[in-house]
């Protein structure tokens, strides 16, 4: 089957190309809009003057127009092209900022965190989103969605990663349209009483009422946190241990209320509403009822971005099931992606959740029939087990490259956890919805609450048991963007070859396999040749990393520092790790590095580089005169007040100063 014959698939691919191009290339809004309007005019001309000679020109124009629309969509999304975005306003050091809470984020060890919409700055109407942080030790009652507050404060930058290959939280938030943060204290904000209510706020209040009703029903803390995740899309209360168990067992997708759950609910609705087909226009009524009930569930789950995306996608899938044409499933999925990217948010393309949702669904639709043809057991039990395994295997194959790229691990026992849990997930979801409805009306029987608690507890125990087999969890796998691309080209080529075996298809698969192996060998060879020495940033700690080929040696006076450099090891394909205590001096290619710690002891020996650690009480001016360094380095183990003083001294002496807490890791040799 040649999927590129289908127009919706081709248009969606062109749109994706345009979005990627517009995201990485800085194109002005006026130019992008002018080009798009010109191409639309040309397209209209070819439609009006449709002749056989114009057919090829028409196809090329459609391609160019769709790419241009993708570029325009992502260009309009960028803050610099939104005329009333708060980033355009010349802001004083502090200002009166009007915020509206739009989401409650998972709290960390130090603060409660929210996503807030900026409504005005010093009474000037603006738009845009920020992260709002409130210290846990402050006199603060939790904010709720739709709550509006006035903050007398300032915007601050979201920090980029300070060490190489660390997770880039700044880029992650940027893809969500969030570019600044605000930290508030007790004294600098005021709650407003005239809050305007949105549908998201109504959904959040309903969800809070449901959680309160479930708490009254005496569900266990762990069980309640799983119920909230499964049915309400709220994972904030799940303990780290439970989440790690689901992650290591390859079942973390069960906790993320998204495509899997909506797909199962759609199948349940199709079964429950099947009697409607006997009515006049019954299939149409069934389609409308299914889609409406899916959106009711989305409202119940708080209308989060992931649930809206999943329900939108499966609303299109419901329509494909209504048409009952297998080939239309690809078209409908492509149309749903086209609609979401163009109308909802083009930046979703760069979010892991969006990528994994569509990769899983496309893989199931495409690979499941192929897997079923490989083996067709006649026994009823074997047949059903193989069908479940085929669905799970197809989905895992579809998301495997993305999972390796983002998370660098693969749970080898995923098929066992999916085989044991997914078949009963429909019962868990269906029964959970019934439990919620009864709890809201305070008519939940104790026996049903006890049974459901036992069901969730049993699921947690199964997952915990599977997660104990560490040997089957493949971690710290190096996998970059080129390998990601080649892996998907291989999967596409393999699927096409299984459908239609030809010399061209087989040759394509072989070329991709050779390319993947060749690139992997090349990166391994390059990794063996690399050498680097760097001072890494770590709060209250001093770490010097010496990389020689595929071996990394850490110098630090603290035990168990390997977790601090794990992302660096994965990104650089380093396999061997050792550690040693910190020395007072290092000599590298004729350059001398002297480390001065809290004792503040140093000699008058000249040094090229000075590393200040553990807040030494020294007279920096006198040290500079004595040792005449070329640069001063300070790591994360120093007090911030000392950093400010040293920075001012170096500025006065016109001497380069590098603080790892601001500029990131310092490369002594690379």
């Amino acid at each position: 089957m040649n999927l590129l014959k289908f127009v919706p698939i081709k248009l969606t691919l062109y749109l994706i190309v345009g979005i990627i191009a517009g995201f990485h290339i800085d194109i002005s809004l006026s130019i992008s809009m002018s080009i798009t309007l010109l191409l639309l005019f040309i397209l209209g001309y070819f439609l009006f003057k449709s002749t056989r000679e114009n057919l090829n020109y028409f196809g090329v124009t459609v391609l160019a127009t769709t790419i241009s629309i993708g570029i325009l969509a992502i260009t309009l999304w960028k803050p610099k092209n939104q005329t009333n975005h708060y980033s355009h306003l010349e802001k004083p050091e502090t200002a009166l900022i009007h915020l509206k809470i739009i989401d409650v984020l998972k709290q960390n060890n130090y603060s409660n965190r929210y996503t807030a919409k900026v409504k005005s700055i010093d009474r000037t109407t603006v738009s845009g989103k920020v992260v709002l942080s409130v210290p846990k030790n402050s006199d603060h009652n939790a904010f709720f969605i739709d709550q509006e507050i006035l903050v007398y404060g300032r915007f601050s930058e979201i920090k980029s990663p300070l060490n190489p290959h660390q997770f880039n939280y700044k880029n992650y938030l940027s893809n969500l349209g969030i570019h600044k943060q605000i930290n508030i204290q007790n004294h600098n904000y005021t709650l407003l009483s005239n809050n305007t209510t949105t549908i998201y706020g109504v959904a959040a209040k309903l969800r809070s009422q449901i959680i309160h009703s479930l708490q009254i029903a005496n569900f266990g803390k762990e069980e309640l946190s799983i119920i909230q995740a499964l049915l309400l899309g709220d994972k904030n209360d799940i303990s780290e241990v439970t989440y790690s168990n689901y992650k290591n067992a390859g079942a973390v997708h069960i906790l993320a209320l998204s495509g899997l759950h909506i797909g199962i609910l759609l199948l349940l609705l199709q079964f429950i509403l099947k009697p409607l087909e006997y009515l006049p226009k019954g299939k149409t009524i069934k389609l409308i009822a299914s889609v409406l009930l899916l959106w009711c569930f989305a409202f119940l789950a708080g209308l989060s971005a992931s649930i809206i995306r999943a329900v939108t996608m499966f609303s299109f899938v419901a329509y494909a099931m209504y048409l009952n044409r297998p080939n239309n499933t690809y078209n409908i999925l492509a149309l749903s992606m086209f609609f979401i990217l163009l109308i909802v948010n083009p930046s979703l393309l760069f979010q892991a959740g969006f990528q994994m949702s569509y990769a899983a669904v496309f893989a199931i639709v495409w690979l499941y029939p192929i897997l079923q043809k490989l083996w067709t057991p006649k026994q009823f039990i074997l047949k059903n087990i193989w069908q479940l395994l085929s669905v799970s295997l197809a989905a895992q194959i579809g998301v495997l490259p993305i999972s390796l790229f983002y998370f660098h691990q693969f749970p080898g026992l995923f098929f066992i956890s999916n085989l044991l849990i997914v078949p009963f997930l429909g019962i868990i979801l269906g029964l959970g919805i019934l439990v919620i409805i009864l709890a809201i009306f305070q008519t939940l029987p104790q026996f049903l609450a006890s049974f459901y608690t036992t069901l969730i507890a049993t699921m947690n125990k199964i997952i915990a048991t599977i997660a104990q087999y560490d040997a089957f969890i493949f971690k710290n796998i190096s996998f970059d963007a080129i390998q990601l691309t080649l892996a998907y080209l291989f999967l596409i080529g393999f699927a096409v070859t299984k459908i239609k075996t030809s010399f061209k298809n087989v040759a394509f698969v072989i070329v991709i396999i050779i390319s993947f192996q060749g690139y992997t060998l090349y990166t391994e060879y390059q990794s063996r040749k690399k050498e680097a020495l760097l001072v890494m940033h770590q709060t209250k700690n001093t770490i010097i990393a010496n990389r020689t080929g595929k071996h990394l040696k850490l110098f630090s006076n603290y035990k168990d520092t390997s977790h601090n450099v794990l992302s660096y090891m994965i990104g650089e394909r380093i396999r061997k790790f050792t550690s040693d205590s910190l020395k007072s001096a290092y000599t590298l290619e004729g350059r001398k590095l002297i480390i001065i710690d809290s004792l503040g002891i140093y000699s008058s020996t000249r040094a090229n580089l000075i590393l200040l650690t553990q807040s030494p009480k020294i007279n920096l001016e006198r040290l500079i005169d004595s040792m005449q360094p070329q640069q001063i380095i300070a790591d994360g183990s120093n007090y911030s007040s000392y950093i400010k003083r040293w920075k001012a001294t170096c500025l006065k002496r016109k001497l380069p100063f590098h603080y790892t807490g601001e500029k990131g890791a310092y490369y002594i040799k690379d």
Side-chain angles (χ1 to χ4, degrees), residues 69-226:
I69 288 172
I71 294 172
L72 179 60
I74 197 68
T75 302
L76 285 167
W77 173 82
K78 292 179 179 179
K80 71 173 189 175
N81 296 315
Q82 299 171 22
T83 55
N84 64 337
H85 195 272
Y86 64 81
S87 59
H88 299 303
L89 196 65
E90 291 187 12
K91 301 176 286 296
E93 184 65 19
T94 54
L96 191 64
I97 307 169
H98 184 182
L99 300 173
K100 185 182 185 71
I101 306 299
I102 58 175
D103 195 13
V104 179
L105 304 177
K106 188 177 179 66
Q107 57 184 241
N108 56 32
N109 293 330
Y110 309 103
S111 60
N112 296 308
R113 300 161 62 249
Y114 308 88
T115 303
K117 177 183 177 183
V118 185
K119 299 193 72 175
S120 70
I121 300 174
D122 286 338
R123 301 179 188 247
T124 301
T125 302
V126 294
S127 65
K129 295 187 290 185
V130 295
V131 169
L132 182 66
S133 296
V134 186
K136 279 190 173 180
N137 59 2
S138 64
D139 182 18
H140 161 68
N141 292 322
F143 295 144
F144 55 84
I145 293 176
D146 278 351
Q147 187 164 56
E148 298 185 26
I149 61 174
L150 282 178
V151 178
Y152 187 71
R154 62 186 181 88
F155 296 96
S156 58
E157 294 292 332
I158 298 166
K159 285 187 177 181
S160 297
L162 296 172
N163 291 318
H165 300 289
Q166 277 185 334
F167 173 67
N168 197 325
Y169 187 59
K170 182 175 182 177
N171 279 353
Y172 169 77
L173 289 179
S174 179
N175 290 340
L176 296 175
I178 302 170
H179 303 276
K180 299 284 184 180
Q181 63 182 354
I182 297 176
N183 300 309
I184 67 174
Q185 304 292 340
N186 292 335
H187 60 276
N188 69 337
Y189 76 92
T190 302
L191 299 178
L192 298 178
S193 57
N194 56 339
N195 304 316
T196 55
T197 303
T198 66
I199 188 172
Y200 300 99
V202 174
K205 285 181 180 178
L206 175 61
R207 187 165 58 176
S208 296
Q209 291 173 4
I210 291 170
I211 293 171
H212 178 67
S213 300
L214 292 173
Q215 289 171 342
I216 294 173
N218 293 322
F219 284 99
K221 185 177 179 181
E222 281 295 325
E223 289 74 26
L224 182 59
S225 69
I226 298 298

Side-chain angles (χ1 to χ4, degrees), residues 57 197 290 541:
Y57 295 112
T197 303
S290 298
N541 200 348

Side-chain angles (χ1 to χ4, degrees), residues 400-401 479 481-492 512 516:
L400 178 60
F479 205 80
I482 294 176
Q483 289 173 308
L484 173 71
T485 304
L486 290 172
Y488 274 115
L489 287 174
F490 167 75
L491 289 177
I492 293 169
I512 293 300
F516 187 92

